[in-house]
Amino acid sequence: MGLFDLFKKKPTEPIQLTAQTQQEKPAMQQSEYNGYLTEALESRLLNMGYQIERHPQYLALIVDSEIEIAAAIVDIPGAHPFIMQVNVLKIHPVYFPKGIYECLVGFGETIDKRINSALDNYLDSTFSPIMAGFSDTHDPDVDLLITTNNREVLWHPKLGDLMVQGQWEEMPDGKCLFEILREKIKPLLTNNKFNWLKIYISKNADGAIIGECVFNNQLWNDALDDITQLAEAWIMKGEFKALKQFIMFRRCDAYDNI
């Protein structure tokens, strides 16, 4: 697929990552470990019970014979050496042919720790709710009933785990971000089988707030305004707080022909 041109082609030989490798090549760019990143992702997915094939052309994986997923390390000039940026693209040829894109960060003193940190971030926060979207199971408390083409349509939101960073006196409810946007999301849901929403919001001790809301890979600034209001009310006991969540919206199978 054309979008996988973003990622390097398969290396002729896989990189064997060892402490000796890092000592001998201290000047290597992190992106030179993309082969190892893909191997680590493959191993994790196999352990989770998925069937995995290697993409015949690109440095990517095929999950359960239908979903393509590729991850690539991005070299950021001047970044802290213990921080790694990883971009992940996940494509389904029917339901999201243009892909679901995620940019995330891994931390650690070594390359393998940074890679595993980034994969933990992705698998826990984004991958799981996407895969849950392929099941018609649902939580009635978060279901959305909206009117489309003069007919009611039921949607099943699949809430990923609320990722929490920083010092909190009381842990936030896992549905807090969804509830803020519950009514605002309804008119945006397209007639596609799947829609998705990524939310990130953070606050520093000096009051600076950074956030992003992305709906179907497009920035959704109106939603960010609402989430920013939430962060403005946070009482800071430490230097930093942040919340992150991925939500997949699946149209109920009973409404597929509407």
Side-chain angles (χ1 to χ4, degrees):
M1 291 187 174
L3 287 181
F4 280 102
D5 290 332
L6 294 171
F7 302 96
K8 288 185 176 181
K9 301 294 180 65
K10 286 184 177 181
T12 55
E13 295 183 2
I15 295 174
Q16 299 298 321
L17 184 65
T18 63
Q20 182 179 4
T21 302
Q22 296 186 63
Q23 292 172 2
E24 292 178 349
K25 296 186 177 182
M28 287 182 69
Q29 296 291 311
Q30 292 192 114
S31 61
E32 295 186 58
Y33 292 99
N34 279 339
Y36 179 76
L37 171 65
T38 300
E39 291 175 6
L41 177 59
E42 179 181 22
S43 177
R44 298 283 287 273
L45 294 176
L46 286 170
N47 288 336
M48 294 169 69
Y50 293 101
Q51 295 182 353
I52 304 298
E53 306 168 61
R54 287 295 184 104
H55 195 286
Q57 182 179 1
Y58 298 98
L59 188 60
L61 305 174
I62 302 174
V63 182
D64 290 347
S65 301
E66 60 178 351
I67 298 170
E68 298 179 18
I69 181 170
I73 301 167
V74 179
D75 292 317
I76 306 297
H80 192 283
F82 291 174
I83 295 177
M84 168 187 288
Q85 179 178 322
V86 174
N87 292 351
V88 184
L89 185 67
K90 190 171 185 179
I91 292 176
H92 189 284
V94 176
Y95 297 128
F96 32 93
K98 294 184 179 181
I100 297 177
Y101 173 81
E102 180 69 290
C103 174
L104 38 88
V105 175
F107 302 91
E109 299 90 348
T110 63
I111 191 76
D112 57 330
K113 287 183 179 180
R114 293 193 288 277
I115 284 175
N116 283 311
S117 171
L119 291 180
D120 285 342
N121 190 344
Y122 178 70
L123 293 173
D124 292 342
S125 67
T126 304
F127 180 85
S128 293
I130 292 176
M131 298 307 293
F134 288 91
S135 166
D136 201 37
T137 58
H138 63 107
D139 178 356
D141 289 338
V142 298
D143 279 352
L144 301 176
L145 189 62
I146 67 173
T147 301
T148 301
N149 297 329
N150 296 319
R151 293 190 179 183
E152 290 187 327
V153 177
L154 183 64
W155 288 85
H156 301 320
K158 312 283 183 155
L159 276 61
D161 290 341
L162 182 66
M163 311 301 288
V164 180
Q165 295 177 316
Q167 183 178 345
W168 297 76
E169 289 188 335
E170 183 177 347
M171 295 300 289
D173 182 86
K175 299 177 182 178
C176 64
L177 299 180
F178 170 76
E179 292 298 340
I180 291 173
L181 301 177
R182 176 192 280 266
E183 295 304 317
K184 187 164 286 188
I185 193 71
K186 289 181 178 181
L188 294 185
L189 292 172
T190 70
N191 199 35
N192 297 329
K193 182 68 174 179
F194 292 96
N195 292 256
W196 56 91
L197 173 64
K198 296 185 291 184
I199 307 169
Y200 175 79
I201 191 72
S202 67
K203 184 177 182 180
N204 293 329
D206 62 4
I209 296 174
I210 299 175
E212 182 179 69
C213 289
V214 178
F215 179 73
N216 290 352
N217 291 347
Q218 300 294 320
L219 289 175
W220 186 18
N221 291 325
D222 190 28
L224 179 59
D225 291 342
D226 291 352
I227 300 300
T228 298
Q229 291 181 23
L230 171 70
E232 288 173 345
W234 290 347
I235 298 174
M236 301 299 294
K237 297 295 184 180
E239 293 297 317
F240 176 79
K241 279 185 178 181
L243 298 177
K244 176 182 177 181
Q245 190 166 39
F246 184 95
I247 304 173
M248 197 75 172
F249 299 87
R250 174 193 173 103
R251 186 181 61 226
C252 178
D253 291 354
Y255 297 80
D256 281 348
N257 296 324
I258 293 180

